[in-house]
Amino acid sequence: MSIEPERQGRRQGGSTAGPTVLRIALGGQLRRLREERGISREAAGDAIRGSHAKISRLELGRVSFRERDLNDLLTLYGVQDSGERAAFLSLARQANEPGWWHQYGDLLPSWFETYLGLEQAAEIIRTYEAQFVPGLLQTPDYARAVILLGHGQEPSAEVDRRVALRMRRQDILTRGEPPTLWAVIDEAALRRPIGGEGIMRGQIEHLIRISELPNVTVQLLPYSVGGHAAAGGPFTIVRFPESDLPDVVYLEQLTSALYLDKRNDLDQYQAVMNLLSVQAATPQDTTQLLRELMHEY
């Protein structure tokens, strides 16, 4: 097995993949090496003075790679060629580089930092939201109102930084080679007057405006649909331009998050998202519904 950092570390069109995706790519390569050699996670953990849980985290790209650990694993897996070992180490150094959101690390739980890395490297983001407008589509005023719900006791300077972080995330929508964002928003999220009527009017107007971007699709899931396929709650599916990386389903909870990449889970969530897209109003009808909603505030 060979690994090519220049190919692995590049997105289509020549831009550089983020550190999170590089960790996932490297972890996947190491997992395949271990499985090809018939080595258990426990044995691999022993080789790096760790546990099978640490090997699992490394193979999933959840943690950074120590050069000593990587060298020991490559030796255990029989990778002796100096060029191949150098390629692994080079990719690990790239994967360990902090993303731009590192400056907000004091505000972010580690489980959300992982999602930011996936979001920044995505080619396609499909999301369903039931209570709030998705973060990538929020106005600064709406974002502040949402943030204050959970962080109202923080100093205003910290709230400002949280808002700035959310706005910085949105830069991906207008960069060169932006991802495709396809958002289905439950009508309840727009009926809930977060921050007051003025803020909601501005937020709905922003949804109308941003949905004109060629890479952004917004669909409203109206009350008239009744029960629907996503009764279990909001979720996001992230797809990457690197063909060897699996899609990831992101499920956010109050104090943690789940990242699903098993085939059965992906198939179920893809099916739900596809059904939601059929049940929801078309993008054209959504624009009209948003205009009507805006006049109600």
Side-chain angles (χ1 to χ4, degrees), residues 243-258:
S243 59
D244 59 336
L245 294 183
D247 293 355
V248 175
V249 174
Y250 173 71
L251 303 172
E252 186 170 319
Q253 301 171 336
L254 186 61
T255 59
S256 63
L258 295 176

Side-chain angles (χ1 to χ4, degrees), residues 56 184 225:
S56 180
V184 177
V225 169

Side-chain angles (χ1 to χ4, degrees), residues 164-230:
L165 167 62
R166 194 158 301 184
M167 296 303 102
R168 177 75 183 274
R169 286 170 57 194
Q170 298 178 5
D171 288 349
I172 64 171
L173 298 179
T174 53
R175 71 187 181 194
E177 298 185 39
T180 295
L181 173 63
W182 189 346
V184 177
I185 306 173
D186 198 287
E187 183 176 346
L190 300 179
R191 293 286 185 184
R192 194 181 303 277
I194 303 293
E197 293 185 352
I199 287 178
M200 288 305 300
R201 266 196 311 273
Q203 177 61 69
I204 294 172
E205 183 179 13
H206 177 67
L207 287 175
I208 295 171
R209 189 166 54 249
I210 200 167
S211 62
E212 295 174 354
L213 292 176
N215 57 307
V216 176
T217 298
V218 177
Q219 289 185 266
L220 185 66
L221 187 66
Y223 286 146
S224 58
V225 169
H228 56 78

